[in-house]
Every structure is written in C-alpha cells, then in structure tokens.
Amino acid sequence: MIRRRGIAGTIKNICFDEDSAWWLINTLDIVNYILYPLAGPEELDLDDKIGLCADLWLSGPDKEREPHVDIRLLLVESILLLCGSGWQSRNTIRKQKAYVILKMADMVEEDEMIGSRIDDCVQYLRRDEAGTEEGSSDKLVPGLPIKPEPSRTLTSKVNDDYDDVD
C-alpha cells in the first residue's frame, strides 16, 4: 500500500505541471494508467466499451477497485488536474472515455470527498466549452490529438485576461 500511495502521489504531483499535460496524456497515455485502479468489475454497455481502453473493461468480474481511500483520492485528483490543464487535454480525456470509468466509480464510492472530486471531474468533462455548439462536449470527435501551440517567446504579447487562458 505504501508504494501504491507513493506512486499515486508522484503522479498527482507531475499532473500539476500544465506544460507537461499534453505529453502526459498523449505520449505516456497516463489517463488509462490512472483510471485502471478506479475501474471495477461492473459490466459495461457496448456503447461504453467503444473507444475505451480494453484493459479497463476486459478484466471481468474478478477486477477489484483500489481498496484504499487515500489512493483513490490521489488518482481522482490527478484526473481533475489534467482536466484543468486546458481544453485540448479535456478533449483527449473525453475521447478516452474517462467519464465511463468515473461514472461507475462514483456509483459505488462511499467516501464523500472522493465523490465530490469525481463530480468535479465529470463537470469538466460534460460541460460545453466556450465557443462550441450546445452538447458538443458529449460527442466523440474522431481524429488525432491536437498538439499544443509552441510556447511564447519573450517578445510576444502577454495576455492579462486570465479568463481566456484555455
């Protein structure tokens, strides 16, 4: 348990770095590794399985969800940090169908704090982004992940309006 908690804490700490979010999500595919301990033995609908990493639903009825509350909390907060790193990250996490695993985990979660954090993740994933049509965040958009823009140079204009960060 100590190793798992240490690893979950390390993952959460690296998710704080918004500049590395694209690399974590698209190159390391960290979302599926974070979701695996949160996945349980529940049978998923065929629609939910399409687009979801097979490791998350092929384990069958013998799969056990992470038993320790503090580790589950660290994992859910890691997803929350990745969701907060920008709309490109949220789009990729939506395409990976993290919502399906979070929804199932929330249905059986007994800890109020974890349930609250899962709800925060779901709110990020289910909401519509500014400038998009109503309900578009619920659609699975085919295509490759979008690479982030190159970082600004020192001579570029700095945007002081923090509402337009995403």
Side-chain angles (χ1 to χ4, degrees):
M1 183 195 82
I2 293 172
R3 286 184 189 164
R4 288 195 321 269
R5 186 174 53 207
I7 291 168
T10 302
I11 289 172
K12 180 183 173 187
N13 285 338
I14 64 172
C15 290
F16 274 106
D17 185 18
E18 290 183 16
D19 295 334
S20 299
W22 188 90
W23 180 76
L24 290 169
I25 294 170
N26 296 297
T27 304
L28 288 184
D29 196 24
I30 199 165
V31 174
N32 290 325
Y33 293 111
I34 294 171
L35 290 175
Y36 186 79
L38 298 173
E42 299 87 11
E43 182 64 30
L44 300 175
D45 295 334
L46 182 61
D47 292 337
D48 290 339
K49 291 178 182 178
I50 297 173
L52 185 63
C53 177
D55 292 337
L56 297 174
W57 58 270
L58 277 180
S59 298
D62 297 333
K63 170 74 171 90
E64 291 184 20
R65 191 169 276 109
E66 172 60 49
H68 298 285
V69 173
D70 53 345
I71 296 173
R72 287 194 315 268
L73 180 62
L74 288 169
L75 294 170
V76 171
E77 287 177 340
S78 298
I79 296 287
L80 186 58
L81 286 168
L82 291 173
C83 286
S85 65
W87 67 271
Q88 292 174 331
S89 298
R90 286 189 293 277
N91 275 344
T92 305
I93 294 170
R94 283 183 193 116
K95 290 176 194 174
Q96 293 177 334
K97 294 229 175 161
Y99 171 75
V100 173
I101 300 299
L102 291 171
K103 175 180 69 172
M104 291 297 182
D106 190 34
M107 291 170 66
V108 297
E109 185 58 56
E110 296 175 359
D111 187 82
E112 190 173 315
M113 177 65 89
I114 297 174
S116 172
R117 294 291 189 263
I118 290 174
D119 185 54
D120 292 341
C121 289
V122 168
Q123 293 304 317
Y124 261 121
L125 295 173
R126 300 286 293 188
R127 74 176 184 186
D128 294 314
E129 302 291 340
T132 60
E133 69 179 66
E134 183 71 26
S136 64
S137 64
D138 294 333
K139 299 176 186 171
L140 181 63
V141 182
L144 297 175
I146 302 169
K147 289 190 177 182
E149 296 177 14
S151 57
R152 292 183 224 166
T153 61
L154 293 175
T155 59
S156 67
K157 181 183 173 191
V158 176
N159 185 1
D160 289 334
D161 186 9
Y162 294 108
D163 293 337
D164 293 329
V165 171
D166 287 344

